Amino acid sequence: MQFIYNFVLTSSILFGSLYGLILSVDPYNKFGNNPFGFETKAVDFARVNKFNQVEHGKKDYTAFIMGSSSAHRYLTKELNRLSGLISYNYSTQSATPEDFLAMTRHVLKKYKPKLLILSFDFEGLNKNVKTDDMFYASPLKNYLKEVPKEELKTDLFNNSYLTLEALGDSFKVIWVNLLGKANHAYLEDGDHRYEPAPKTVKIDQFSGGPYEIDQTRVTYLRTIKTLCDQNGIKIIALTSPLSIEHVRRLESDPALKKSLHDFKNTLITIYGELWDFENETLAPFNDVKFFRNSNHATHDFSTLVLERIFGKKDGPGILLKK
């Protein structure tokens, strides 16, 4: 009996100490905790970093790119060259329409944009994919008045913090801030750093689970269209590029193939036309020069996409219209 008591007591103290450390370091910035004044976190918190860049920007941005991490590598200098505008890449990890609407409202508060490029992930309209809880820990949540108040609360015991990975990232934060040099993934204008090329294009983040179009998110996208129409902003909507093997795996499943079709038709209905980069035109580009993995294009391929959209070069993609 004494052994069990000591074991439970020791385990509770150990768990409390380690979880307390994780909460204090807050490596994913879910609670906004930073009692040690660390310069950076283990996971670069794009929604805060980019929000602040936009909020305190000195340039008169007139074009914005919004998407998930799949849209990180659209270089603003290339969009500037092709559009003649001054652009900012507001893409963040795991972004969904909640992010896009909040970002649009944030942008309109300070700037007078002429162009908005929206890069849509297939999973982004899936009702079964939850909003990234990092959205609720960022200033962007204040620009989405539609969010129920109960969703703005962050549970003390957060699932992503009850992991060995979170503990490891907490020690990483401490190490980097005390003994190393903090390097941020995002550069000026929201651009993303270049990374070494992978050895192969692996199929990554493929979900074969149930898919249902989220009508609340559809409403968010319609609201963006209304805001842009009211402010004279042109919208270019596109599907986030997928490697051909990823596309073929989706289309080999009858249910997912139908869902992919519904996803594209929903966007066409809202925006009138859609540049589609999730089809067989991607077949010649199944190479590490163009894709880091099956749903993250390289800087080179991202530039090809922009050149295709602006009519400068033939290449991948199909323009779909109503």
Side-chain angles (χ1 to χ4, degrees):
M1 188 69 181
Q2 184 65 34
F3 170 77
I4 296 176
Y5 174 80
N6 290 337
F7 177 78
V8 171
L9 179 61
T10 303
S11 299
S12 299
I13 293 173
L14 181 61
F15 171 80
S17 299
L18 293 177
Y19 194 68
L21 174 67
I22 294 172
L23 288 179
S24 297
V25 175
D26 197 9
Y28 309 139
N29 229 344
K30 292 179 179 294
F31 298 92
N33 298 334
N34 192 12
F36 307 113
F38 289 147
E39 180 183 350
T40 189
K41 297 297 182 80
V43 175
D44 211 351
F45 194 43
R47 287 176 179 82
V48 171
N49 293 342
K50 291 198 170 186
F51 179 93
N52 288 333
Q53 281 188 333
V54 170
E55 179 73 11
H56 305 294
K58 302 300 182 183
K59 295 182 181 180
D60 185 17
Y61 294 117
T62 49
F64 289 85
I65 305 168
M66 296 178 188
S68 69
S69 59
S70 63
H72 273 160
R73 295 164 186 84
Y74 290 105
L75 291 169
T76 54
K77 69 177 183 180
E78 298 295 343
L79 180 56
N80 296 347
R81 171 177 66 87
L82 294 164
S83 67
L85 303 173
I86 302 172
S87 60
Y88 183 88
N89 190 328
Y90 211 158
S91 302
T92 66
Q93 299 102 322
S94 306
T96 53
E98 292 89 319
D99 289 278
F100 299 162
L101 178 53
M103 289 172 181
T104 301
R105 286 173 172 159
H106 179 218
V107 163
L108 288 174
K109 181 181 177 183
K110 180 171 181 179
Y111 301 92
K112 295 182 179 179
K114 298 179 180 179
L115 174 66
L116 182 60
I117 297 180
L118 298 174
S119 178
F120 293 103
D121 296 343
F122 172 53
E123 291 294 335
L125 282 187
N126 188 355
K127 190 174 184 178
N128 298 294
V129 173
K130 293 183 178 180
T131 308
D132 189 337
D133 53 12
M134 290 188 183
F135 171 82
Y136 300 120
S138 77
L140 283 171
K141 70 177 183 296
N142 299 319
Y143 289 82
L144 193 65
K145 57 188 178 184
E146 294 86 349
V147 176
K149 289 184 178 180
E150 59 269 18
E151 291 193 25
L152 297 178
K153 298 178 182 178
T154 303
D155 294 333
L156 177 62
F157 290 99
N158 193 283
N159 287 339
S160 60
Y161 276 2
L162 296 171
T163 64
L164 289 175
E165 183 178 10
L167 180 62
D169 280 340
S170 296
F171 284 118
K172 179 181 175 183
V173 170
I174 296 170
W175 174 267
V176 167
N177 282 275
L178 296 183
L179 301 174
K181 181 179 179 181
N183 291 317
H184 293 282
Y186 306 105
L187 308 173
E188 187 179 7
D189 303 325
D191 284 331
H192 196 278
R193 292 183 182 274
Y194 281 84
E195 312 103 320
K199 294 182 179 180
T200 59
V201 180
K202 295 181 179 179
I203 295 181
D204 194 21
Q205 297 179 15
F206 179 88
S207 174
Y211 192 102
E212 179 184 353
I213 297 292
D214 188 328
Q215 294 305 317
T216 298
R217 288 175 176 165
V218 170
T219 300
Y220 293 160
L221 298 184
R222 291 188 185 280
T223 302
I224 292 173
K225 178 68 164 60
T226 299
L227 288 171
C228 287
D229 288 345
Q230 292 172 345
N231 289 276
I233 303 168
K234 179 181 179 180
I235 295 177
I236 295 177
L238 65 138
T239 58
S240 302
L242 296 173
S243 75
I244 191 59
E245 295 301 328
H246 197 124
V247 172
R248 288 171 179 170
R249 183 176 288 192
L250 287 172
E251 293 186 337
S252 67
D253 183 304
L256 288 177
K257 182 177 182 178
K258 180 182 183 303
S259 296
L260 184 63
H261 181 265
D262 293 343
F263 160 71
K264 294 176 184 179
N265 276 348
T266 298
L267 295 175
I268 294 170
T269 300
I270 297 171
Y271 298 112
E273 61 182 36
L274 174 73
W275 279 98
D276 179 27
F277 294 94
E278 298 178 359
N279 54 59
E280 284 291 326
T281 65
L282 279 290
F285 303 93
N286 193 33
D287 186 88
V288 294
K289 178 180 179 182
F290 303 112
F291 281 90
R292 296 193 52 75
N293 54 42
S294 66
N295 56 8
H296 288 87
T298 63
H299 288 86
D300 287 344
F301 190 81
S302 298
T303 297
L304 288 180
V305 168
L306 292 177
E307 290 177 333
R308 175 77 169 108
I309 289 173
F310 283 90
K312 300 301 181 182
K313 287 185 180 180
D314 291 332
I318 301 172
L319 180 60
L320 305 175
K321 298 185 178 182
K322 280 185 179 179

